[in-house]
Each structure stands twice: as C-alpha cells, then as structure tokens.
Amino acid sequence: MTAQIINGEQVARDLRKQLKEEVAFLKQEKGIVPGLAIVVVRSPFARMHVARLKERTCRQLGIKCEIIYLSETTTDEEIIYRIERLNDDRNIHGINIHPLTPHLSHTLISQQVDPEKDVEALHFLNMGDFLIGRPRMVPFVASGIMKLIEATGINLEGKRAVVVGRSQLVGKPLAFLLLERNATVSICHSVTADLDSYTKKADLLVVAAGHPRTITSRMVKEGAVVIDVGVNQIGSHLIGDVDYEDVKNIASWITPVPGGVGPVTIAMLLDNLIKAARNS
Ligand code: NAP
C-alpha cells in the first residue's frame, strides 16, 4: 500500500480563503482590523521563520501583525510587562508567544495574557471552558490537526487513536478533541513502556514527540492514518518525527513534513484571532 498524502497546503489554502472573507466582513461591517502580536525571544527554540510566515500570512489576509523581538537574556518579568501593554492595546486582539528558552516559564507567562486575547487557548479560563466542552478558543495546533484528519474522511467513532506526546499545546488538547469525536484514545510519552504495542494498534496515529524517526513502519498498523506534527531541523532540511519514506508504504494516509500540519496551524491561529476580534 502507498499512502495518500494529506495535503496541508491545500487545506490551509481553503481555510485562508474563508478567513480572508471574514476579515473583509469585519472591516466593512464593524470597522475592525484584527491585530495579532507575536512575542519572539531570540533563541534556537524561537522558530523565527514561522513568525515571519505568520506575518506574511496576516498581510495576505488583511490582518495587522506586530512581532515583538526580545533578547535571549530577557526575563519572565520583562515579557509579562510587554504582555500587559499588549493587553491594553485596543488594536491588538490576540497574543501569540513563540517557544521560549528553558529559563522562562511559558505557563506563568500565558496566564498573564488577557483571556479575551488568548488565541493560544492556554489561559486557565479558556482551558477550563475547553475541557468542559464549551470552548471560546480551541488550542490551534490541535484544531489544525483535526482539520487534516477530517480531510481524510475517516470516521473516528470507535476507532483507536494514539497520540505520541503530551504537551499542553499539542498532545493533551488533541487527545481531548479526539475523545469528543468518540475515538478511544491513548496518550503516549517518553516514559511509556513498549511504545510499539500502542502505536501498532492505532487506526489513527498522531506523533508530536519532537524527535526524528520516533515512528518507523514496524510500529504502524497497516492502513492507519498517520499525522506527523514534528518539525526537526536537520542541516538545512526540515523533517518530521515519522520516518516518512518507510511509513508511507504501510499507512493509508500520511502528512508530509513540511507541507502537512504547519500551514494549517497558522490558519487556525488566525481563526482564533478573528474570533477574538469579532468579540472585542
Ligand atoms: P514538547 O513540549 O517537547 O513535547 C514532546 C512530547 O513528546 C512530550 O510529552 C514527551 O514526553 C514526548 N516524547 C518525547 N520523546 C518521545 C519518545 N521517544 N517517545 C514517546 N514520546 C516522546 O513538544 P511539542 O510542543 O508538543 O511539539 C512536538 C513536536 O511538534 C516538535 O517537533 C514541534 O516542533 C512540533 N510542532 C509543530 C507544530 C506545527 O505547527 N507544525 C506546532 C507545534 C509543535 P514527556 O512528556 O514524557 O517528556
């Protein structure tokens, strides 16, 4: 079997078309131009190229975007001070904080974002609403992954879904969304004993571990849908967490890296931003 490729670029293009129409409507009907602030602490963790890609996408859609660059030696206090100013800025409707260096606390910092501007859905108020099934904001990486799963047409009811990775941003919210679709979900992590015994049974396998070749074909069930969230820089190349060339011979559907999850997550971040602007 050779897997069909889940075309994240195409899914993202369709989403961006809808978003562009919504932005134009907001501008025309309410005089609102959605504004996104991205806080980037310069470091190898920061995914600066993604911040620039977000900025470019905002421009294409008619959204205002401001990137705030801070030095690698910045402190939690300085970031919180910047966030408080963004909270008070009427032209900013959403705040996105890029991955921070380990000496900074994303959890603490996320709680300082005005919940109305929390487009990452990491504030405990938004997370609480999400977990009781009445979300104001849905964590955008997880909702992007759901769009890709929907693109395959797989009916998740009663299916075994395995999520490798339990981060606050990806693994945990995704597992919850899959559960809401009546999949039976296992969450695996770095301390999971015998990872293969879980992945091998998965009808849907989502991998967000952050390590290349975490998943090879012998760990995948024949005909599984495989979503690779990982982005790993190897020299000048980006590769995922799944051994794509190997696994594509056994999966029914697979996402490429790049061109899979990444483009869709940016669109879903902007979807949250437009919601926030509409409610402002
Ligand atoms: P993270 O916070 O580092 O979490 C990684 C998770 O994977 C942890 O729960 C960890 O377990 C688990 N893990 C690590 N190695 C493992 C292994 N060998 N077997 C099983 N589980 C393992 O990372 P993240 O923010 O969730 O991101 C994960 C990946 O997705 C990264 O490559 C990141 O760049 C990528 N990403 C892509 C997008 C996109 O838009 N394309 C967005 C976000 C993230 P423990 O909890 O036990 O440590």
Side-chain angles (χ1 to χ4, degrees), residues 47 141 164-171 188-192 195 207-211 214 228-232 241 261-263 265-266:
R47 300 205 199 114
V141 181
V164 180
R166 57 174 165 181
S167 70
Q168 213 62 47
L169 190 68
V170 188
C188 300
H189 45 79
S190 66
V191 196
T192 297
L195 181 64
V207 191
H211 294 292
T214 302
D228 189 355
V229 188
V231 181
N232 306 289
D241 291 348
V261 174
T265 60
I266 295 180

Side-chain angles (χ1 to χ4, degrees), residues 13-276:
R13 248 193 307 277
D14 294 345
L15 289 167
R16 285 197 299 267
K17 191 163 171 280
Q18 288 168 25
L19 296 177
K20 194 170 182 176
E21 285 167 14
E22 286 179 43
V23 172
F25 179 81
L26 264 180
K27 210 178 282 183
Q28 202 175 342
E29 296 295 310
K30 294 194 171 183
I32 296 173
V33 177
L36 176 70
I38 307 175
V39 177
V40 176
V41 174
R42 292 180 193 276
S43 85
F45 301 91
R47 300 205 199 114
M48 302 240 246
H49 66 285
V50 179
R52 286 191 290 271
L53 196 56
K54 286 174 182 168
E55 187 180 35
R56 199 173 72 201
T57 310
C58 283
R59 211 178 312 122
Q60 286 164 354
L61 301 189
I63 292 170
K64 181 174 170 290
C65 179
E66 182 185 338
I67 305 184
I68 293 135
Y69 289 105
L70 297 171
S71 82
E72 193 163 2
T73 56
T74 192
T75 58
D76 284 345
E77 290 72 24
E78 184 180 359
I79 301 176
I80 289 168
Y81 170 72
R82 296 296 188 117
I83 286 173
E84 284 167 352
R85 288 179 57 185
L86 293 168
N87 284 343
D88 292 338
D89 185 338
R90 294 187 50 165
N91 294 318
I92 294 296
H93 303 92
I95 301 169
N96 176 212
I97 302 160
H98 263 231
L100 301 171
T101 45
H103 77 282
L104 299 165
S105 167
H106 202 136
T107 309
L108 169 75
I109 291 166
S110 308
Q111 301 315 309
Q112 313 306 316
V113 173
D114 179 342
E116 304 290 332
K117 300 188 178 189
D118 173 33
V119 287
E120 295 179 7
L122 288 176
H123 192 283
F124 67 82
L125 287 177
N126 288 322
M127 211 176 273
D129 283 339
F130 174 65
L131 289 177
I132 61 168
R134 293 164 67 181
R136 287 188 289 182
M137 297 280 176
V138 178
F140 64 98
V141 181
S143 59
I145 294 168
M146 292 305 288
K147 291 281 178 200
L148 294 172
I149 295 168
E150 280 163 21
T152 68
I154 184 180
N155 175 6
L156 290 171
E157 296 243 340
K159 296 284 179 359
R160 279 179 203 242
V162 172
V163 179
V164 180
R166 57 174 165 181
S167 70
Q168 213 62 47
L169 190 68
V170 188
K172 282 181 190 162
L174 177 70
F176 183 76
L177 291 177
L178 293 170
L179 206 54
E180 289 219 309
R181 297 290 180 86
N182 291 332
T184 301
V185 185
S186 304
I187 309 178
C188 300
H189 45 79
S190 66
V191 196
T192 297
D194 198 7
L195 181 64
D196 309 23
S197 67
Y198 291 88
T199 59
K200 189 84 191 155
K201 292 194 189 110
D203 301 303
L204 168 69
L205 177 61
V206 184
V207 191
H211 294 292
R213 299 196 178 85
T214 302
I215 300 295
T216 57
S217 63
R218 65 172 185 80
M219 302 168 78
V220 177
K221 179 178 170 181
E222 176 113 35
V225 172
V226 178
I227 309 282
D228 189 355
V229 188
V231 181
N232 306 289
Q233 179 118 26
I234 305 292
S236 58
H237 294 284
L238 293 181
I239 63 166
D241 291 348
V242 173
D243 188 340
Y244 179 83
E245 290 303 326
D246 183 29
V247 171
K248 79 175 197 301
N249 298 319
I250 190 159
S252 61
W253 289 89
I254 190 166
T255 52
V257 177
V261 174
V264 182
T265 60
I266 295 180
M268 296 316 289
L269 172 71
L270 299 180
D271 185 50
N272 277 350
L273 176 77
I274 292 167
K275 269 191 210 127

